């Protein structure tokens, strides 16, 4: 019984030692920040600017649940920039496939469109680059791409051949 009690005490002391070391490290961190306010102020401003610019570069995002409204109410056109093989595995009804590698050949036509355009990619990142290439205020990117579309439980069209197998 005495031996068990001693073992519990040593475990408790070990926990206290780790806690004390963490408190000491955190204290040193705050002390360092206090001695370098300009450095941390600059770092904070740069982080905020990075996220502001990144959001602007990526273009306006549209939530998957809002796509149908924009298509029905504003006659928005869906442009899927995924590779053709990915597009054929499943796409949003009414979308047109222009692979990203071919997009530069269609930029002028897309830029002059008088209706909204929604760019679709796999995860929403490549679409941000496409929106920047097109450079029109009426161009949106699907937030989260096809991945987010499917996560929202929205359907994809899958083409079937005569034998019933997908292309």
């Amino acid at each position: 019984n005495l031996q068990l009690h001693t073992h519990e005490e040593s475990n408790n002391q070990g926990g206290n030692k780790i806690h004390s070391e963490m408190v000491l490290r955190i204290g040193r961190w705050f002390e360092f920040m206090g001695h370098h306010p300009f450095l941390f102020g600059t770092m904070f401003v740069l982080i905020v600017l990075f996220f502001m610019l990144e959001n602007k570069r990526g273009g306006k995002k549209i939530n998957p649940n809002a796509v149908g409204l924009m298509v029905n109410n504003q006659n928005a056109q869906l442009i899927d920039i995924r590779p053709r093989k990915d597009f054929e595995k499943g796409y949003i009804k009414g979308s047109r496939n222009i692979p990203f590698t071919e997009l530069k050949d269609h930029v002028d036509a897309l830029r002059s469109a008088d209706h909204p355009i929604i760019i679709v990619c796999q995860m929403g990142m490549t679409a941000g680059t496409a929106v920047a290439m097109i450079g029109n205020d009426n161009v949106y990117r699907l937030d989260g791409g096809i991945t987010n579309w499917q996560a929202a439980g929205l359907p994809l069209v899958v083409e079937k051949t005569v034998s019933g197998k997908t292309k």
Side-chain angles (χ1 to χ4, degrees), residues 46-153:
L46 289 174
I47 290 170
V48 169
L49 285 174
F50 170 77
F51 284 107
M52 287 174 53
L53 291 173
E54 183 63 23
N55 194 31
K56 187 171 185 156
R57 180 193 71 84
K60 296 183 278 186
K61 295 184 269 189
I62 183 167
N63 186 296
N65 295 315
V67 170
L69 290 172
M70 187 174 274
V71 168
N72 293 333
N73 297 339
Q74 299 177 34
N75 198 27
Q77 182 181 5
L78 294 163
I79 304 294
D80 193 320
I81 60 171
R82 295 177 300 147
R84 206 166 310 301
K85 64 180 176 67
D86 292 340
F87 179 78
E88 290 172 352
K89 290 178 186 174
Y91 57 90
I92 300 170
K93 184 178 179 180
S95 61
R96 175 179 163 206
N97 184 228
I98 303 175
F100 184 74
T101 56
E102 301 171 17
L103 189 64
K104 64 184 177 305
D105 300 332
H106 301 270
V107 168
D108 291 334
L110 294 171
R111 191 175 288 150
S112 64
D114 59 352
H115 52 276
I117 296 173
I118 302 169
I119 305 293
V120 179
C121 68
Q122 189 63 43
M123 295 178 61
M125 296 190 181
T126 309
T129 304
V131 168
M133 282 174 63
I134 296 167
N136 185 332
D137 287 338
N138 219 11
V139 179
Y140 300 81
R141 66 181 169 109
L142 178 61
D143 187 21
I146 287 289
T147 302
N148 197 25
W149 177 271
Q150 289 179 296

